[in-house]
Amino acid sequence: MDYLIRYLCKNIMKGGRRDMFIVDDQVRPGILVLINDADWELEGEDDYQLQSKDNILFVSTLHGG
């Protein structure tokens, strides 16, 4: 997962978008990360080794007031 997150930040996200996703080189609190519909905390977070058929979902639980 660490590789995927670094790749997304470096190659996909433009402008200030990275700051909405990453803080202190970690996924920002308030962003739910699911690996095959399971919380990534149950899968080892950054240490999880991606498999070819994995489904990764990032869900922001943050909202403006």
Side-chain angles (χ1 to χ4, degrees):
M1 282 297 296
D2 184 55
Y3 173 81
L4 174 64
I5 292 167
R6 284 186 285 117
Y7 177 85
L8 290 172
C9 289
K10 182 178 180 184
N11 299 300
I12 305 298
M13 295 179 188
K14 304 296 181 201
R17 303 264 181 191
R18 183 182 188 280
D19 294 334
M20 297 174 66
F21 185 67
I22 297 292
V23 63
D24 297 328
D25 291 325
Q26 299 288 323
V27 174
R28 180 178 284 282
I31 296 181
L32 178 63
V33 181
L34 300 177
I35 302 171
N36 301 321
D37 297 326
D39 190 325
W40 80 321
E41 291 178 1
L42 301 173
E43 303 292 343
E45 297 182 353
D46 285 342
D47 295 330
Y48 179 79
Q49 296 295 312
L50 291 173
Q51 307 297 312
S52 64
K53 301 277 182 171
D54 281 343
N55 182 33
I56 309 300
L57 180 65
F58 298 95
V59 180
S60 175
T61 61
L62 306 172
H63 57 84

